[in-house]
Amino acid sequence: MAAYAKAIEELRSTMPLLGKYVVGIDAASEENQTEPWIFAPVYNAIRNKRITKPVIEGGDGRIERVNNIGFTYHVGEEFRHLLSGLRHIDEVIEHFHYKPGDRLGHAIALGVDVKYWMERNTVVIIPVMEHLENLLWLWGNMVYDNWIIEIAVEALEGKILNLAKMIYDDVAGMSVHTLY
């Protein structure tokens, strides 16, 4: 994936004027099929200034500045469960090292009325691994970021370990901390 980042930056820093037209990267995938972390290496490689060249020699021999590239990631707009949409948004912000000026495309999950969504989605079918990842994300935010949610941490840990047993069968020596 980092090769894609290098290719983009190489083109922007060697072709005069291209840096004025290729001004950002944007990923818009089928969220239900592709977790955001798949794209994180490309975003992080481009953000890493070691592969960028800040200047280019223009067609007339003048040195021109190559603008920093902008970042957009479409996330939180296609989700089976509201927790999945919120988790994906949080993961993009954290793992893509988002900064002021970077964009989240749509991020619809942030504006959803939770009570309304829950009333209309009393049964949600999602892959068991996605459910486990959602519960681990929720647990991590409760334990490490002190989120206050109307569920006991111990009850959530029990649900997580039960799901882990369904997925991995042997959970001897496994803890929620390990899974997280």
Side-chain angles (χ1 to χ4, degrees):
M1 285 281 195
Y4 292 119
K6 286 182 181 179
I8 290 168
E9 286 304 305
E10 185 66 28
L11 287 171
R12 283 176 18 97
S13 64
T14 57
M15 297 181 70
L17 300 177
L18 188 62
K20 293 185 187 312
Y21 296 100
V22 178
V23 296
I25 62 170
D26 181 357
S29 68
E30 293 183 40
E31 278 185 78
N32 287 332
Q33 305 304 318
T34 309
E35 293 282 327
W37 61 265
I38 295 291
F39 296 98
V42 173
Y43 277 70
N44 289 325
I46 290 175
R47 190 174 300 280
N48 179 339
K49 299 298 182 193
R50 286 181 285 197
I51 68 166
T52 60
K53 297 177 184 168
V55 294
I56 183 174
E57 185 177 331
D60 57 3
R62 291 184 313 162
I63 300 296
E64 297 177 14
R65 183 175 182 273
V66 178
N67 293 329
N68 288 334
I69 199 160
F71 296 91
T72 300
Y73 192 95
H74 282 77
V75 66
E77 56 190 58
E78 175 192 29
F79 46 88
R80 287 179 274 257
H81 194 284
L82 184 56
L83 273 182
S84 301
L86 295 171
R87 175 175 58 87
H88 288 162
I89 292 167
D90 186 55
E91 288 172 350
V92 166
I93 292 169
E94 180 180 345
H95 299 298
F96 288 42
H97 308 289
Y98 259 43
K99 296 178 172 32
D102 294 341
R103 294 186 60 243
L104 295 172
H106 303 292
I108 293 166
L110 291 175
V112 170
D113 179 323
V114 175
K115 186 175 180 182
Y116 179 85
W117 188 88
M118 287 175 53
E119 288 170 356
R120 277 146 188 79
N121 296 280
T122 55
V123 175
V124 178
I125 299 171
I126 62 174
V128 69
M129 187 57 117
E130 181 178 334
H131 186 47
L132 177 63
E133 290 170 348
N134 288 346
L135 294 182
L136 284 167
W137 172 76
L138 188 60
W139 177 86
N141 283 302
M142 290 173 69
V143 170
Y144 295 113
D145 295 330
N146 299 314
W147 283 15
I148 299 171
I149 298 173
E150 293 182 21
I151 184 172
V153 171
E154 296 79 15
L156 186 56
E157 289 174 348
K159 288 180 183 220
I160 290 168
L161 290 172
N162 285 337
L163 280 172
K165 182 152 180 54
M166 285 176 54
I167 295 168
Y168 302 113
D169 192 38
D170 182 13
V171 293
M174 195 177 290
S175 71
V176 176
H177 287 275
T178 305
L179 289 165
Y180 182 76

